[in-house]
Amino acid sequence: MLKRLMAVVACAVLGMAGAVGTTLPAPPAGPPAQVGGLRVCERGDTTYLLDRSGRVRSLTYMRLVPDNRLWVRQSYDRAGRLTGLSVNWSGFAGRLLDVRGAFDAQGRLVKETGFRARGVTTPLGSYLRAVPKGVKC
């Protein structure tokens, strides 16, 4: 028991020592960031990747609360149709959901792969967010 307590204290001290003097860089000023020809736009807790024509190609959002983390990414094709969805959710008890879904041209879920914890039966569609019209950077 004492060895375990000493290990926890040592990890905490080393973690704090590494954090001392560490600062985060300031966000760059100027036009929106570019990623592989796509513009990055942030609106609230949602990040959009827009192509050159202004269409949303990806939508990502996160929810971080104590002991819970939800990360969702929606992918779209050039025509603006939903093609994929990734959901990663973890809580105090560990990993709850790590699933990817593929959608057909009509927006129906055709394939789901990944991990679901016992009792996590929420349909993937419930994690989808609507894409607003005319997202501008």
Side-chain angles (χ1 to χ4, degrees):
M1 180 69 179
L2 183 59
K3 286 183 180 180
R4 179 183 279 173
L5 180 60
M6 289 175 58
V8 168
V9 170
C11 288
V13 169
L14 289 174
M16 287 188 293
V20 173
T22 303
T23 59
L24 296 174
Q34 296 271 331
V35 175
L38 300 173
R39 293 184 316 242
V40 178
C41 293
E42 291 187 20
R43 299 286 182 259
D45 67 343
T46 307
T47 302
Y48 301 95
L49 287 179
L50 305 171
D51 61 16
R52 293 175 202 260
S53 67
R55 256 188 222 275
V56 174
R57 299 300 300 273
S58 171
L59 177 154
T60 305
Y61 70 91
M62 294 177 69
R63 290 191 194 138
L64 302 172
V65 294
D67 298 330
N68 257 306
R69 180 183 154 276
L70 174 67
W71 179 86
V72 178
R73 179 170 186 199
Q74 300 168 208
S75 302
Y76 297 87
D77 64 9
R78 290 184 179 162
R81 293 182 299 245
L82 178 68
T83 57
L85 175 69
S86 295
V87 180
N88 186 300
W89 180 28
S90 61
F92 179 75
R95 186 171 67 148
L96 299 170
L97 190 64
D98 187 6
V99 177
R100 279 149 300 291
F103 294 82
D104 64 9
Q106 287 75 35
R108 294 180 300 226
L109 181 65
V110 293
K111 185 176 181 183
E112 180 181 310
T113 59
F115 169 81
R116 282 181 179 265
R118 182 179 298 154
V120 179
T121 59
T122 308
L124 278 184
S126 68
Y127 296 100
L128 288 172
R129 280 197 178 171
V131 177
K133 300 269 189 216
V135 176
K136 304 236 187 231
C137 289

